[in-house]
Amino acid sequence: MSNNGELVYLSSDGEDSDSMLLDASKPVSREQTCITDDYEGDSSELEHNDSNNSKVFNPISGINVFRINERELEFTLIGLKEKQGIHISGVFDIQIIKGGVVYNGVHYNASKDKISFSHPLTDAIPEIKSSFHAGWDDPLYLTVKQKKLIDIQVLENFVCVLKISSVNVDSLLDISRLYPDASSLWKPKINSSFNSSSSSDTFCILDRIYEDEFISQNNPIGWQEVIDNLFVAFKNQEYDMRVMVIGGKNSGKSTILRTLLETFMNKTLLNEDGTTFKSQEDILYMDLDPGQPEYSDPECISLTQINPTPVSRLGQRLGQHCHQKLQQFYYGSPSPQDEPSLYMEQISEIMKYFEERECMGTTLLNLPGWIKGFGMTIVNNVVRLFKPTHVICIDSSRLDAELEIQNEFTNAFQVKYEPKIYNVDSIFSHSTSPQNSQPKFHAPQIRTIKMLLSLHRLQSSNPMDTQYDFTPLLARKPLQISYGDSAGIRGIQFYEEYSDLKGDDIKGALEGTIVSLGLRRTWNDDKNKNVHNITRDAYPVIKPRIKSVNLSHYSLALVHSVDIENQVINLYLPKINEDKVRAKTKEIKNSVNENEDEWKYSWVIIRGKSDTPFCELYPKELIGMFNKYETVPYISTTRRKKYEHVWKVRKNVQRRGQSMK
């Protein structure tokens, strides 16, 4: 320890990284020297380097990172100096022990509350920046037991101290067992010489050596100004507030909406009368992007009600939310271009439901990045139906000139208003690290990850907790639902592309595919016409498309097999939905038994274009269980004939002559 109170490094050779962790059984004294492999030299050189790089956080055990592990107490303390920031990947809780932090433009004070974060490496990770406490005093939120484990005087060197702990997300990090491409979903692949966390932790502190393994989220300067203006409108709104974002693919639509939502939910302001303002109202999120949904099930669109929670939940949660879905439709494809008429029909039904609610609060709307050709026609139709009060146009130079935003709208109270339009830059247009702007995960990989998370999610006693079991679905017994009878599946519908399948092909078109198990509202006057009479070879195939208003998505499912002899379909459902489906099936059966002519709901399977994750059909850990004489499900060892292959139409082919002027 130097005379000025700074900690002094001693170099060491051959020390294991675990030796750098703080021994929680002994309090840290001011005279204790901290051993590290990251520095060789005297303290004067260290102080000089620290003054030149004060904004750069370099994690060093025993200096600014303290690992506490004693009995039931296991967490990590991180000390940040002025203007320093930190990036953390994974799923974790943060309690601000001292000072405050700024995250996506919102200031959070030190308190006893925990803030829940989710930072997968599929997305750019926002920086958690140090800040001072906004109050008159500078409290230190440590329990008596915690204060015994570390010398409080050590923390005086920092303006901000964070307590980081793992969260209860059982088996979430085990997804790579089933899907190897997700091995670096939560933690980088590179093994650092600095080991700030154990293998059991659900987070990883990122430093400069990981610069090729993650993307730092750098929002353009204009974003914060727009978000601040929208927050003022949110705080002072008299009627309903409707915000929509328009932009191309990967321009940052979901990011700016996520930041805006976190600002609305968590930003606290001091009013002129001395009181504080913090939102206590629900916010509606209209998720119309089936390819990259924020709150919907994979390849679905929805209207979700987001409730303020005592514990802030920040970051990207890969669609794993507990908020109530008011309405959800299964679109069955990541792109609206595949079935544009169905997409527009589902949007119209969501808009109609939304208007009938006469919402007086705030609604955010997320659109896909299809902004050319017919895509702009869809955007203009959504603008007309949604009647936004505020429109954010990202990289407006790329938007088609045919974008039409009316000069004036009228709300449900016959009050006329002019929509405010904001033009902002794309999130990657001001990237400070162009070499790092490339995504670490491609869109098909992210869709596979979200699909696996949905299929393997378990029922939890605490709705705020998320639990998973990534044991291959083939290893457990499927749920059996009969088809064709009164209490089972009364209808099977294919997309138009597959609507002319013959009876022998229907079984093969279902087995091993992802489908939507939906509830169809059945009206008495069309019951016989659409269910009983329209069948093909014992399958209850419904030829006319079921109207979206009569069909609601209930759960995604993987079809294991179709038993023609017993007229049973074997399905793998997410465990979180299995009990709900059983209870609903029992309810339908009881209603049919009471009065055959009065039933109102029935199960329907919708076969869209959703891709089945290959790892579900060919799980490596199960293949070894089959001997060479057994038949592996879904796998054929027979080679194709010389000229036998699948023809696919190539889309968006641009020839040389098309670009010539």
Side-chain angles (χ1 to χ4, degrees), residues 201-246:
D201 282 341
T202 60
F203 64 91
C204 180
I205 300 173
L206 305 173
D207 58 16
R208 283 173 292 181
I209 70 168
Y210 293 115
E211 60 183 4
D212 294 330
E213 294 295 316
F214 78 99
I215 302 175
S216 175
Q217 179 178 318
N218 299 308
N219 296 342
I221 298 176
W223 278 30
Q224 193 56 50
E225 181 180 355
V226 170
I227 291 173
D228 290 341
N229 290 337
L230 289 173
F231 178 73
V232 173
F234 169 76
K235 179 177 178 291
N236 300 320
Q237 61 180 317
E238 296 182 7
Y239 300 99
D240 61 333
M241 180 178 181
R242 307 181 182 192
V243 183
M244 69 180 298
V245 179
I246 303 174

Side-chain angles (χ1 to χ4, degrees), residues 307-320:
N307 313 105
T309 58
V311 179
S312 301
R313 304 179 71 84
L314 308 177
Q316 165 64 280
R317 297 194 173 268
L318 296 175
Q320 305 302 293

Side-chain angles (χ1 to χ4, degrees), residues 93-108:
D93 285 341
I94 285 184
Q95 181 191 353
I96 307 173
I97 302 298
K98 176 185 177 182
V101 299
V102 175
Y103 178 87
N104 275 339
V106 180
H107 181 274
Y108 298 86

